[in-house]
Amino acid sequence: MGKKIKKREKGAVSNYITRNQAVKKLQISLAQFRRLCILKGIYPREPKNKKKVGKGSTAPRTYYYRKDIQFLLHEPVLFKLREQKIFAKKLSKAIAKREWAQAKNLEETRPEYSLDHIIRERYPTFIDALRDVDDALSMAFLFATLPATDKIKGEHVRKCQTLCAEFQHYVMISRSLKKVFLSIKGIYYQAEIKGQEITWIVPYQFSQHVPTDVDFRVMTTFLELYETLLGFVNFKLYSDLNLVYPPKIDEEKDAGAAGLAAFRIETTDGRDLLSSLEPKPSARVAKSQKQQTEKRLATLGDKIAEINDDMEDDEADAEIADAGVEDDAVTDLPEPSVAPTTMEETVPTLQSYLALHTDLTAFQNIFKGCVFYLSREVPRYSLEFVLKAFGAQVGWDATSGSGSPLLESDTRITHHIVDRPLVEGQVRYERREYLQPQWVYDCINARRLVKTAGYHIGEQLPPHLSPFVKFTDDAYVPQEALALQQDDAMEVDATEDAAAEGTDDEEEEVPEDSEDELPDDLAKDSEDEEEALHAAELAAEAAGISFSEYLAQQQESGKTAGKRKRTKPSPEEEQRELAKMMMSKKDRHLLNKIEFGQKRKQEQVS
């Protein structure tokens, strides 16, 4: 006879454990248990039958998987937490006995734990870390704007500011930014890194009021994990671009509130990358360049004559090579036997990839060649990051921070970003556009430079549309979005017309034999008509009436049958009806409700 199984010792009861039982088993406090669960990613579970799990009790309790608690027994962080508990007792005992030397020695040997192994466990690949970095960035940008208090340590604030600036520099250098949206909560950004879309929110830099009803102990625990994660992510991103990590910081500029300009991004060979994003000073450098140019122009005539002779030979060889390549490209490309019907069936070609690359490059450099100057009332922390991420050169007012490479009187400035009317006596420069900050964000979301009408000083701004909303046919589409779509369609039509003009100039060859021959579909139709006519004559002979009377009868019967005749459903409708018949009554009712809601939405839109 086998061993008798006792009640409530196997099954769902053995799979779950209460929070109090877990704390006693791990021999730590409740606060340390919460911290350990946050770091390891262990969350409470809801059993299907609380009465069975609770051994007949239905009292509200917090349950965990017993297997998760078993894993925590071998966690290195758990051992460090226990050591910290012992350290706290020893330190308080030494202070109570006034043994200051012993207390100092204990303070120097304070046990600290590392979260590196937890990051490697929770994120086996770098793509997994990128997918979960959204919350980490939002949390880091939030703490970077908070003041240091007794609940928020200053070292956390400084570390978050450094990590955020490092990530912003990577986005600027790699040109990964895709969308920006100004909302009431803050500024939403979206970047595409290694095929993953990363969206985070940055609060506005106002004086923050620290709430008292928020448990900052829990948020600080999450912040510890996110700081380690961002450190790993930034190191990997910088290493992929052969950049030195962590980047160097200019202490003088950082003390002068230079922001992103205080960082020095260098490659592994010691080259500074940010120098290419900043405009160079134009006083003495311009004079020296002018002198060098005059010296080179004196000896330029002889060199041009030599180069022209070599260029003529190279152009002739290149034309022959290009002709051969074009012929091979046209003849070697296989053509599909059946035309594709969806985007998944479309075979990508080299031309399509080149077109996508050209569009992406144009989008990443929409502000290239533009020089912006930011007034002191505009949000420099956002505009500097956004403009440099799309190839612009930026300067700012001295009151906004030190390190500006441009002065307000610089003649190279093309756009002056302001957010209030000019004061009397303030100089207005003629060769620059005075625009409001929304123009910059609307250009990014439209993926092109939009018209400046409506964005000048004192003008009523157009609505700021969210780039994260995808407008569908059955939803309301604002008039501004329709106008942008029409502008894009006009640009596409213009490019297609230009391409069509080039193809119309070419002569089309028509074979001589095609004039005398009919198309296959027309010949087939004529054969079908002859067969139908012959069949009608045979039917009239069988009925014993003339052919004209037979045709009259067929026309009358066709009219009456046409009233009853229904349109034949399409194959898609037939498949949909068959799928409906195979559904359960509950699913069919739910589908009818969904279709009814879609129909009502279409009626509201129309």
Side-chain angles (χ1 to χ4, degrees):
M1 184 177 177
K3 187 179 179 181
K4 187 178 180 180
I5 300 175
K6 294 183 180 181
K7 192 178 181 181
R8 300 191 182 99
E9 287 188 359
K10 195 173 182 181
V13 180
S14 61
N15 293 336
Y16 294 92
I17 186 173
T18 62
R19 188 178 64 183
N20 292 336
Q21 292 173 346
V23 170
K24 290 179 181 179
K25 190 170 187 176
L26 297 176
Q27 299 179 3
I28 54 177
S29 63
L30 181 59
Q32 290 177 337
F33 175 73
R34 285 174 177 169
R35 176 183 296 180
L36 192 60
C37 288
I38 291 172
L39 296 177
K40 292 291 291 182
I42 296 174
Y43 302 99
R45 306 293 179 175
E46 186 72 17
K48 292 182 179 179
N49 195 331
K50 282 190 174 182
K51 193 171 183 180
K52 285 185 179 181
V53 175
K55 298 181 179 180
S57 175
T58 56
R61 293 177 181 175
T62 305
Y63 292 96
Y64 292 86
Y65 280 144
R66 190 179 295 272
K67 190 180 291 185
D68 292 341
I69 304 302
Q70 287 293 124
F71 287 140
L72 290 181
L73 288 173
H74 309 284
E75 175 58 37
V77 177
L78 177 62
F79 303 144
K80 288 294 182 180
L81 292 176
R82 290 173 179 168
E83 291 178 6
Q84 287 181 355
K85 185 179 180 181
I86 298 170
F87 165 80
K89 289 182 178 180
K90 289 183 178 180
L91 184 62
S92 61
K93 186 176 181 180
I95 292 175
K97 291 183 178 181
R98 295 180 179 275
E99 296 176 355
W100 308 118
Q102 180 70 13
K104 185 178 180 181
N105 292 336
L106 287 172
E107 187 66 31
E108 292 175 356
T109 60
R110 177 186 291 270
E112 299 289 343
Y113 58 82
S114 174
L115 303 180
D116 296 349
H117 66 285
I118 294 180
I119 298 298
R120 289 194 293 268
E121 289 175 4
R122 296 185 65 173
Y123 308 106
T125 62
F126 183 59
I127 299 300
D128 295 332
L130 286 178
R131 289 172 183 164
D132 203 24
V133 82
D134 300 8
D135 295 335
L137 285 172
S138 299
M139 179 76 79
F141 275 100
L142 172 63
F143 272 82
T145 58
L146 292 177
T149 60
D150 55 342
K151 297 180 180 179
I152 305 172
K153 295 182 180 179
E155 58 183 89
H156 283 305
V157 176
R158 289 189 294 270
K159 190 171 183 180
C160 287
Q161 291 174 351
T162 304
L163 290 172
C164 294
E166 292 170 357
F167 183 78
Q168 284 181 314
H169 275 295
Y170 172 81
V171 173
M172 288 192 302
I173 294 170
S174 61
R175 306 288 174 85
S176 305
L177 193 63
K178 292 293 180 289
K179 297 177 182 177
V180 188
F181 178 62
L182 306 176
S183 70
I184 298 175
K185 297 180 181 179
I187 305 175
Y188 285 89
Y189 298 97
Q190 187 179 90
E192 186 177 351
I193 300 176
K194 297 187 181 300
Q196 302 298 321
E197 291 183 350
I198 300 173
T199 307
W200 71 97
I201 182 173
V202 179
Y204 296 109
Q205 289 190 355
F206 299 130
S207 57
Q208 299 288 344
H209 171 67
V210 180
T212 57
D213 56 346
V214 176
D215 191 355
F216 279 96
R217 292 179 300 174
V218 177
M219 295 187 68
T220 305
T221 306
F222 276 104
L223 186 63
E224 289 179 8
L225 179 67
Y226 289 155
E227 285 177 351
T228 311
L229 174 61
L230 282 176
F232 271 86
V233 170
N234 288 347
F235 173 76
K236 174 64 175 174
L237 293 176
Y238 275 63
S239 300
D240 291 346
L241 294 181
N242 293 327
L243 301 178
V244 177
Y245 186 84
K248 299 178 182 178
I249 301 177
D250 191 340
E251 298 295 340
E252 294 182 1
K253 290 185 177 180
D254 191 33
L260 297 175
F263 286 78
R264 180 181 175 85
I265 310 298
E266 296 179 347
T267 58
T268 52
D269 55 357
R271 184 169 56 90
D272 188 6
L273 284 181
L274 295 184
S275 60
S276 61
L277 298 177
E278 297 179 356
K280 300 177 181 179
S282 59
R284 300 179 181 177
V285 177
K287 292 183 180 179
S288 60
Q289 289 180 351
K290 187 176 181 181
Q291 293 176 358
Q292 294 176 2
T293 304
E294 290 176 353
K295 291 180 181 178
R296 291 177 182 176
L297 287 175
T299 59
L300 191 61
D302 299 335
K303 291 184 179 180
I304 291 176
E306 296 176 1
I307 293 172
N308 285 334
D309 296 337
D310 298 335
M311 286 290 290
E312 291 177 356
D313 299 335
D314 294 340
E315 287 177 359
D317 297 338
E319 288 177 359
I320 296 172
D322 291 341
V325 170
E326 289 178 358
D327 294 339
D328 295 339
V330 172
T331 57
D332 293 345
L333 285 176
E335 295 184 358
S337 57
V338 180
T341 57
T342 61
M343 291 298 295
E344 289 78 6
E345 297 178 359
T346 304
V347 178
T349 60
L350 180 61
Q351 287 79 5
S352 62
Y353 277 120
L354 289 176
L356 289 175
H357 178 70
T358 304
D359 295 341
L360 181 61
T361 305
F363 172 59
Q364 292 175 345
N365 297 281
I366 56 175
F367 293 133
K368 189 173 183 180
C370 301
V371 182
F372 289 80
Y373 187 82
L374 310 178
S375 296
R376 62 189 182 94
E377 70 273 5
V378 301
R380 177 204 150 197
Y381 62 93
S382 173
L383 287 170
E384 180 187 3
F385 164 60
V386 166
L387 290 170
K388 287 184 177 180
F390 288 93
Q393 296 176 342
V394 187
W396 53 87
D397 193 85
T399 56
S400 301
S402 61
S404 174
L406 294 171
L407 296 176
E408 186 178 0
S409 58
D410 200 311
T411 56
R412 292 172 294 173
I413 297 174
T414 57
H415 299 79
H416 197 129
I417 307 300
V418 294
D419 203 11
R420 63 181 182 184
L422 296 179
V423 185
E424 294 183 1
Q426 187 176 357
V427 180
R428 184 185 180 95
Y429 300 91
E430 297 297 333
R431 294 187 176 181
R432 66 179 68 170
E433 289 273 2
Y434 285 84
L435 301 170
Q436 300 185 51
Q438 185 180 325
W439 179 80
V440 176
Y441 302 108
D442 288 349
C443 288
I444 296 171
N445 296 335
R447 304 177 70 91
R448 58 183 174 81
L449 293 177
V450 300
K451 298 177 181 179
T452 57
Y455 294 95
H456 294 96
I457 303 175
E459 293 182 351
Q460 183 68 30
L461 289 172
H464 182 53
L465 302 177
S466 173
F468 299 98
V469 177
K470 295 182 179 179
F471 300 107
T472 57
D473 296 336
D474 57 346
Y476 171 72
V477 182
Q479 295 295 329
E480 290 74 16
L482 291 174
L484 288 175
Q485 293 176 2
Q486 290 176 0
D487 293 343
D488 295 338
M490 290 174 63
E491 291 183 0
V492 172
D493 293 341
T495 55
E496 291 179 353
D497 293 342
E501 289 178 0
T503 57
D504 290 341
D505 296 338
E506 299 177 359
E507 295 181 358
E508 298 181 357
E509 297 180 358
V510 180
E512 297 178 357
D513 299 336
S514 62
E515 296 178 359
D516 300 332
E517 296 179 357
L518 290 174
D520 295 337
D521 53 353
L522 294 179
K524 189 176 181 181
D525 293 341
S526 61
E527 293 177 359
D528 294 341
E529 289 179 0
E530 291 178 359
E531 292 178 359
L533 184 61
H534 182 63
E537 290 177 354
L538 292 176
E541 287 181 7
I545 58 177
S546 64
F547 182 66
S548 58
E549 293 178 357
Y550 177 76
L551 289 179
Q553 292 179 1
Q554 290 294 324
Q555 289 178 358
E556 291 179 0
S557 62
K559 290 179 181 179
T560 56
K563 296 179 181 178
R564 302 176 185 175
K565 189 177 180 181
R566 296 181 181 178
T567 58
K568 186 178 180 181
S570 62
E572 296 179 357
E573 293 177 353
E574 291 180 353
Q575 291 179 2
R576 187 179 182 85
E577 291 297 328
L578 288 173
K580 266 184 162 183
M581 293 170 61
M582 299 296 294
M583 286 182 180
S584 62
K585 187 176 181 181
K586 184 178 180 181
D587 294 341
R588 196 182 305 115
H589 180 65
L590 179 61
L591 180 62
N592 291 333
K593 290 177 69 176
I594 294 173
E595 290 178 347
F596 179 75
Q598 292 177 350
K599 185 177 180 181
R600 178 185 291 178
K601 189 181 292 185
Q602 290 178 357
E603 291 176 354
Q604 291 176 356
V605 172
S606 58

